[in-house]
Structures are given as structure tokens and as C-alpha cells.
């Protein structure tokens, strides 16, 4: 009697990763060595920039993740100066965190918790395609920021501070 061996070939898929920023001297979002594990976040991933200390993470090209920024006694800055930063719907800027948007496109959704800051400044072109729930502070400074809100379908639910500087 012969035996039949059946092999099932299933596609190998990779699930979402949890990535933690490790370089408290700051650096580029796109440098895998700045994250643990050593890979750049993708849209399916959760990215945590929450270490204590003051440091700046820069995004000058496209980036995506469900982001947690700040908290844990840290005061990190995520500075977006270009590209598109797409945030997953569970993204949060926590107390001490600052999303400093100076250029590019902000897309997706984010909640600013009490003590968090979204600063929008500089003269570079910006496109706002994000839904923001503000329980912290949104600061507008520089030039061109109001048109970013008015012309691109941005949605802001404001229960925090909205300042023009």
C-alpha cells in the first residue's frame, strides 16, 4: 500500500511589528538602527517614541505607523519636514510629546492628549489630510498654515487649546 504525502503550501505573511525608538540622541525615522528591532516602521506597525529625555526624530520622506509619541517622562519631538506621514487611527501624542510639522503631508488620524503639542510652523508647503482629536495644544505659526486646513478636508475636534503664534 502506498502512502500519499500531501504538503500544503501556505503563503508566509509577516504581521505587524512593535518598534521602539532607541536613539535618545535623536536621528532619522528611516534609519533602522534607531529602532528595536532594527527595522523602519511600516503602515501595519506600531511605533513607540517614548523614551525619557529631549531628542528629535526627523521625518523628511514618507513614513507610516500607528504612533505613540511622548509620555514616560520624555519630551521627544517628531519633526516632519517633507514626504507624507501617515498615522494609524490609534496614534497618540502623549504628555511631553511634540509633533512639529514644518512641511509635507500629514495623513491619517491622531489624538493629542493633555500636555501634548502639535506645532505647525515654517513656510514650507503643507497638506493636511488628517483627523485630529485635540485634548492638548495645537499651535499655528509661520505662513501658509491656515490654507493647509481650509483646502484639504482636514478635521479637527478641539477640546484643547488652539493657538496662533
Amino acid at each position: 500500500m502506498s502512502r500519499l504525502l500531501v504538503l500544503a503550501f501556505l503563503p508566509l505573511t509577516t504581521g505587524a511589528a512593535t518598534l521602539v525608538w532607541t536613539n535618545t540622541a535623536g536621528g532619522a525615522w528611516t534609519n533602522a538602527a534607531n529602532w528595536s528591532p532594527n527595522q523602519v516602521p511600516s503602515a501595519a506597525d506600531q511605533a513607540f517614541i517614548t523614551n525619557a529625555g529631549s531628542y528629535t526624530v526627523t521625518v523628511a520622506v514618507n513614513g507610516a505607523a500607528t504612533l505613540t509619541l511622548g509620555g514616560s517622562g520624555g519630551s521627544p519631538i517628531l519633526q516632519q519636514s517633507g514626504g507624507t506621514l501617515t498615522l494609524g487611527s490609534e496614534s497618540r501624542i502623549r504628555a511631553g510629546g511634540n509633533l512639529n510639522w514644518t512641511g509635507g503631508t500629514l495623513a491619517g488620524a491622531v489624538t493629542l492628549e493633555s500636555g501634548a503639542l502639535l506645532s505647525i510652523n515654517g513656510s514650507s508647503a503643507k497638506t493636511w489630510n488628517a483627523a485630529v482629536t485635540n485634548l492638548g495644544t495645537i499651535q499655528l505659526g509661520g505662513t501658509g498654515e491656515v490654507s493647509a486646513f481650509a483646502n484639504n478636508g482636514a478635521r479637527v475636534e478641539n477640546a484643547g487649546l488652539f493657538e496662533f503664534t
Side-chain angles (χ1 to χ4, degrees), residues 47 49 53 59 62 105 125 146:
I49 304 173
V59 179
N62 294 343
T105 298
V146 175

Side-chain angles (χ1 to χ4, degrees), residues 10-159:
L10 300 174
L12 295 176
T13 59
T14 57
T18 298
L19 295 114
V20 177
W21 183 263
T22 59
N23 185 354
T24 57
W29 173 282
T30 55
N31 183 348
N34 290 329
W35 297 96
S36 177
N38 294 133
Q39 65 188 55
V40 176
S42 69
D45 297 333
Q46 292 186 351
F48 291 87
I49 304 173
T50 57
N51 291 325
S54 297
Y55 50 94
T56 300
V57 177
T58 57
V59 179
V61 298
N62 294 343
T66 296
L67 174 69
T68 300
L69 175 67
S72 303
S75 54
I77 298 168
L78 179 62
Q79 181 171 320
Q80 181 193 4
S81 61
T84 298
L85 179 60
T86 304
L87 301 175
S89 64
E90 297 297 317
S91 292
R92 303 190 89 60
I93 311 299
R94 296 168 47 193
N98 176 359
L99 176 54
N100 183 9
W101 182 30
T102 62
T105 298
L106 185 61
V110 63
T111 297
L112 277 73
E113 296 179 357
S114 179
L117 176 62
L118 170 59
S119 55
I120 305 168
N121 55 57
S123 59
S124 297
K126 297 171 198 64
T127 303
W128 182 291
N129 294 328
V132 175
T133 301
N134 180 29
L135 306 173
T137 302
I138 296 175
Q139 288 181 340
L140 289 162
T143 59
E145 284 71 22
V146 175
S147 65
F149 280 103
N151 296 324
N152 296 297
R155 182 177 63 86
V156 177
E157 293 181 19
N158 189 43

